[in-house]
Amino acid sequence: MQRYNLTNSVALGVLGLSLGIVGSFAEASSAGFVSVDTSASGAMTRQLSYHAVVQVSANGTYTDQVSQSIQLLGIDGESKLNPYSETFSSALSSFKVVNAWVETPSGKKVIIPDKNIFVRPVPVSQGAPMYSHSKVLSIVPPQIAVGDVLHVVTEKHFFKPYFPNEYSNYWEIPQNQSARNESIKIVAPVSMHLHSAQRGGWEVVHSTKNGEEIIRAHMAIHHAEYPGMETVGERQFSPIFEVTSFPSWASVGTAYWVRANKMAKVTPLVQKVADMAAGKRRGWASQKALFSWDSANIRYVGLELGVGGFVPVAANKTLQTGYGDCKAHSTLLQALFNAKGFTLYPTIINWDNVYNLPPLPTPFWFNHAIDYAPKKHIFLDSTGQYETPGQLAVGERDKPTVVTGPHPRIVVTPGAEPEQNRFVYTAELRLHRNGALSGSANMTSKGWWAWAYREIFASVPPSHYATVMSMLLAPSGGGAGAFFPGDPTILDKPFRVGAKWSTPDFAKVGRHLSFPVPPGPFLVPSLSATPNPISYLAEVAGPVSRKHSVETYLGGVSWTSTIHIPSDYKAVVLPSNQKVRNAAGKFSYKIQYDHNVLLVHYDLKLNRVVYSPQQYPALRALLLADFSAQKSPLIFAHNK
């Protein structure tokens, strides 16, 4: 799996940039957005047709023939078609282009020559060739313009099944994609006992003939829809057609366990490393030491769980090379635990913003492998260097996972846990008579907050701290300062960061002083690169209602600012105290003013990571109270 790159996200946020929205306009909008005419698409491309015929053999091998046509509707969609790319595993399959051409609105046919069709290794294989047989096939049209249609006919032959005698696959039409005339046909021996299911309007017909099962699915039309800011991943609610031979999720866990467990063998090298890493520690202290050693000493290379295959490299080999993908990390940690007499099971999970399961069991829903310690009921992910043992990172919370082992089953990872995933901010600020603001702050983070802040300060060179600080202060009037982070390699304690700064033009001095509570150099890492808490609250709580679930990353936030006001000013307008508690969580805001010292404290605790459309109104009420408090002005008048 390619883990989410938090550092890039934070850099975008720090620079005040935002990620572009895929598909600038929508054909049909969710609640809270203005509907548009669905007869004219606002999407940048439209899938005019997609026809797949899959012939499956009893041993799990299969051939997949696809004919599709995609129209370029807007110039911004050109990057999706030029080049047109697909990833495949050369170790498991062969993939060829049967035919490819561009058709213009006038009917002209432009053949794409063989020289414009390329097959290259995925970039990660350059740093870890033994781990990746993944290739990218790219088709480069010699010309394509708005209104043109790209036609591609391909054939993929899986000569080695992911799992012997099993077949599983699903087809998704992304919610933001405009699509017409999509059909899937699967032909397989009746002995495979294939099951099919759909979500989102696919028409499915199941029949048998001459000892074969024939499953057909068709989608006549799907209008593109932009689901709204901060919603869960589109795969959670987009139309899906699924076919699988796996009878249960437990069978998926067993299939992975059969392949992975034998790779966790305790060799002399594994035993040597385990003894060295654990030292004289016992119990949980020993387990944390093994986890920390794996995290710190084995370089992570990100490969997709499915494309890279489901067979991990042996733990002994990973120790010899010093690098590995998620499967290799999971297997090595299991082997190290085995060497010290601890039980650990591999677990497959999503590292993305999808929090549900598809209609039927399939291993291909997941893209990441971690571990599960059943006796302590904790999850361990050693692919990240900065995760607290037993506390998951932001992309792994509240997820249904397949725990393998002798008793495979679905287990949901821990969720928001505001007390365990908490950010505590205390600031001492002084507003000077010339309008300048100087301050110092201490930030203490736990759980996924600690993971995020460790990643930030381990990835940003100290020489860049001043630049980051000035960018964070720019919205409040500019300024300069410095950060003083703790050691990010200490994983089993809260991570602390100190900061000092000054903003020379924070407030205009006159008969009155008016400003909101200063946010200071508050780094807010999130899956959307949101640069500050106010922007995030506005994005989540924007629409009055939601059609799809929304996700939150805050967990628990406690904020206390002490602001020293010039003695020749007195407070004339201060926000009122607030206390809100509902099904979504709780929020409190308290402000005190005495002898030119203003004490502001707020505390936010969210009960969940994901809020359904039915739960959203309570979340919105809670966040609007927070938003109002942060935006409320403090007004002081000059004593005369």
Side-chain angles (χ1 to χ4, degrees):
M1 175 214 117
Q2 186 65 50
R3 285 179 58 118
Y4 172 72
N5 191 330
L6 176 76
T7 305
N8 289 344
S9 173
V10 172
L12 286 171
V14 166
L15 292 170
L17 302 176
S18 61
L19 298 180
I21 296 172
V22 179
S24 302
F25 305 95
E27 287 186 283
S29 64
S30 58
F33 292 84
V34 178
S35 297
V36 296
D37 182 6
T38 57
S39 64
S41 175
M44 294 297 101
T45 63
R46 171 177 289 160
Q47 188 95 38
L48 295 181
S49 65
Y50 180 95
H51 304 296
V53 178
V54 184
Q55 186 74 48
V56 185
S57 300
N59 63 358
T61 61
Y62 66 93
T63 298
D64 187 1
Q65 297 174 314
V66 175
S67 174
Q68 60 180 313
S69 58
I70 309 170
Q71 185 176 30
L72 180 61
L73 300 178
I75 192 64
D76 289 343
E78 183 179 357
S79 60
K80 295 183 180 181
L81 303 183
N82 190 11
Y84 172 85
S85 299
E86 288 194 36
T87 302
F88 68 102
S89 171
S90 60
L92 305 176
S93 63
S94 62
F95 188 31
K96 67 177 181 180
V97 176
V98 178
N99 204 354
W101 71 96
V102 172
E103 181 183 1
T104 69
S106 64
K108 180 182 178 182
K109 186 175 181 179
V110 181
I111 301 295
I112 300 177
D114 291 344
K115 67 178 182 178
N116 284 37
I117 300 174
F118 307 93
V119 176
R120 295 189 177 94
V122 296
V124 70
S125 65
Q126 300 175 11
M130 66 170 285
Y131 277 90
S132 179
H133 298 285
S134 298
K135 300 289 192 298
V136 177
L137 184 147
S138 298
I139 301 172
V140 181
Q143 65 180 60
I144 191 163
V146 173
D148 289 352
V149 178
L150 173 65
H151 297 265
V152 179
V153 181
T154 59
E155 182 173 297
K156 185 181 294 183
H157 174 56
F158 272 80
F159 50 76
K160 185 177 181 181
Y162 285 104
F163 298 96
N165 308 316
E166 303 281 3
Y167 173 78
S168 185
N169 208 345
Y170 67 87
W171 290 261
E172 175 196 1
I173 302 177
Q175 194 74 5
N176 67 4
Q177 178 177 302
S178 175
R180 309 288 187 268
N181 191 20
E182 303 233 347
S183 66
I184 315 293
K185 178 183 177 181
I186 297 97
V187 181
V190 172
S191 59
M192 294 198 76
H193 303 290
L194 292 184
H195 305 275
S196 65
Q198 68 84 30
R199 180 186 70 203
W202 287 88
E203 297 178 357
V204 181
V205 178
H206 198 152
S207 62
T208 59
K209 183 179 180 180
N210 299 327
E212 290 184 325
E213 283 187 294
I214 303 171
I215 306 174
R216 301 175 185 268
H218 182 252
M219 175 73 75
I221 185 169
H222 177 263
H223 293 297
E225 177 184 304
Y226 172 56
M229 293 182 177
E230 305 299 337
T231 58
V232 295
E234 285 187 305
R235 192 156 56 105
Q236 184 157 327
F237 49 81
S238 294
I240 284 178
F241 167 61
E242 185 181 4
V243 174
T244 187
S245 62
F246 287 97
S248 65
W249 288 107
S251 66
V252 172
T254 296
Y256 187 83
W257 172 252
V258 167
R259 296 186 154 213
N261 186 44
K262 60 186 178 182
M263 298 300 183
K265 182 180 179 181
V266 180
T267 65
L269 177 57
V270 169
Q271 188 68 59
K272 178 182 177 181
V273 171
D275 292 341
M276 178 270 297
K280 296 182 179 180
R281 301 176 185 89
R282 297 291 182 269
W284 177 232
S286 176
Q287 295 175 35
K288 289 193 295 183
L290 297 175
F291 172 87
S292 297
W293 188 94
D294 187 343
S295 298
N297 291 280
I298 302 300
R299 177 170 62 90
Y300 171 70
V301 291
L303 300 178
E304 193 72 26
L305 187 65
V307 175
F310 286 86
V311 181
V313 171
N316 197 80
K317 187 67 174 180
T318 300
L319 288 175
Q320 291 174 342
T321 61
Y323 62 81
D325 65 354
C326 61
K327 304 184 302 296
H329 270 275
S330 171
T331 299
L332 173 58
L333 189 59
Q334 181 193 353
L336 294 174
F337 270 52
N338 288 344
K340 303 305 293 183
F342 303 122
T343 301
L344 201 64
Y345 298 140
T347 300
I348 52 178
I349 188 176
N350 279 323
W351 179 284
D352 54 23
N353 55 345
V354 173
Y355 298 84
N356 66 352
L357 293 173
L360 295 174
T362 176
F364 299 104
W365 192 251
F366 306 101
N367 60 9
H368 192 40
I370 60 175
D371 288 295
Y372 175 69
K375 290 187 177 181
K376 295 187 73 68
H377 186 56
I378 61 171
F379 292 86
L380 297 167
D381 183 356
S382 58
T383 62
Q385 289 182 267
Y386 307 108
E387 292 175 34
T388 302
Q391 290 291 324
L392 295 175
V394 65
E396 300 167 313
R397 308 162 302 148
D398 200 24
K399 299 288 182 70
T401 69
V402 177
V403 172
T404 71
H407 306 288
R409 60 200 185 278
I410 293 289
V411 177
V412 178
T413 60
E417 296 182 299
E419 293 302 329
Q420 298 298 322
N421 296 277
R422 188 166 177 78
F423 181 82
V424 179
Y425 183 100
T426 58
E428 189 80 16
L429 309 172
R430 183 172 295 277
L431 181 61
H432 302 277
R433 285 184 172 83
N434 62 358
L437 182 76
S438 59
S440 62
N442 289 297
M443 294 165 268
T444 302
S445 53
K446 296 174 61 178
W448 93 260
W449 278 101
W451 163 78
Y453 268 68
R454 289 191 192 104
E455 286 240 323
I456 293 171
F457 286 100
S459 303
V460 178
S463 59
H464 290 187
Y465 288 173
T467 301
V468 172
M469 177 71 78
S470 64
M471 291 178 178
L472 291 170
L473 295 175
S476 299
F483 289 107
F484 310 97
D487 185 351
T489 64
I490 299 176
L491 303 181
D492 59 350
K493 294 181 180 180
F495 184 65
R496 292 181 170 84
V497 180
K500 288 187 177 181
W501 71 95
S502 61
T503 303
D505 300 308
F506 177 75
K508 182 179 179 180
V509 178
R511 291 184 56 190
H512 291 87
L513 289 174
S514 178
F515 53 88
V517 175
F522 180 34
L523 288 161
V524 182
S526 80
L527 292 178
S528 299
T530 307
N532 61 65
I534 295 179
S535 296
Y536 175 76
L537 295 173
E539 289 182 5
V540 176
V544 174
S545 61
R546 293 279 191 167
K547 184 176 180 180
H548 305 293
S549 299
V550 296
E551 61 176 345
T552 64
Y553 69 88
L554 292 172
V557 179
S558 178
W559 187 298
T560 303
S561 291
T562 301
I563 310 173
H564 297 267
I565 306 299
S567 58
D568 48 353
Y569 282 86
K570 65 178 181 180
V572 292
V573 177
L574 296 177
S576 59
N577 295 339
Q578 296 189 57
K579 183 171 286 189
V580 180
R581 181 193 291 266
N582 60 25
K586 59 182 181 179
F587 170 73
S588 63
Y589 180 83
K590 186 177 182 179
I591 190 163
Q592 297 173 289
Y593 182 69
D594 184 42
H595 292 90
N596 300 106
V597 177
L598 189 68
L599 181 65
V600 182
H601 175 73
Y602 83 76
D603 191 83
L604 176 68
K605 292 182 180 179
L606 298 183
N607 295 335
R608 304 177 61 85
V609 173
V610 177
Y611 290 83
S612 69
Q614 295 73 31
Q615 297 163 333
Y616 172 73
L619 173 67
R620 185 173 187 267
L622 204 66
L623 296 186
L624 284 179
D626 189 340
F627 183 79
S628 174
Q630 293 195 51
K631 293 291 288 184
S632 296
L634 312 172
I635 302 176
F636 301 86
H638 194 275
N639 294 323
K640 289 189 177 179

